[in-house]
Amino acid sequence: MEILGTVLRVCVSDLEASVTFYERLTGSTAMRFERGGVAVASVGCFLLMSGPEAELEVLRKVAATIAVKDVDEAHATLTASGAHIVAGPVPTPAGRNLIAMHPDGSVFEYVDRNAPTPD
């Protein structure tokens, strides 16, 4: 499995103010989408999330987002290595993803940004 990079997940109360800060910090323009009632902005290596506290509480349990070349390959490698697949693979606005719990109990999202997303 080839890991292409990681994205730092940040839960924020004011998405607009945070987007302005992170766009200036990274020199990148935010890519925005919504998922499950949570507004999301991807800015450089940061994934900013804002929404209902009950939703954010679940999202905080995922330590980081890991970009991989192929989610199916990640699924096979994770399973063979003893990880528990919590959810996915499923299509998202940013590509396909899955959530996995590693044997040590840490939870990560794996996303395949090279895969075509549904229209």
Side-chain angles (χ1 to χ4, degrees):
M1 168 176 66
E2 183 178 349
I3 295 176
L4 304 175
T6 57
V7 177
L8 305 170
R9 299 165 65 92
V10 183
C11 294
V12 298
S13 57
D14 184 343
L15 187 63
E16 294 311 313
S18 295
V19 164
T20 300
F21 172 80
Y22 284 95
E23 284 182 333
R24 287 182 183 156
L25 180 70
T26 65
S28 301
T29 301
M31 181 183 87
R32 298 172 183 250
F33 57 94
E34 187 169 317
R35 184 154 186 219
V38 175
V40 181
S42 177
V43 188
C45 67
F46 298 95
L47 188 65
L48 310 175
M49 301 172 287
S50 184
E53 187 54 39
E55 296 294 328
L56 294 178
E57 183 179 330
V58 172
L59 295 172
R60 284 188 183 102
K61 294 178 181 178
V62 178
T65 298
I66 300 170
V68 296
K69 196 172 223 179
D70 185 329
V71 166
D72 293 327
E73 181 184 357
H75 184 278
T77 301
L78 287 160
T79 302
S81 300
H84 169 68
I85 305 303
V86 176
V90 297
T92 74
R96 294 179 313 134
N97 81 342
L98 65 81
I99 306 292
M101 180 182 295
H102 293 185
D104 63 10
S106 56
V107 178
F108 294 91
E109 174 187 34
Y110 289 81
V111 63
D112 176 350
R113 294 199 177 134
N114 296 323
T117 57
D119 293 332

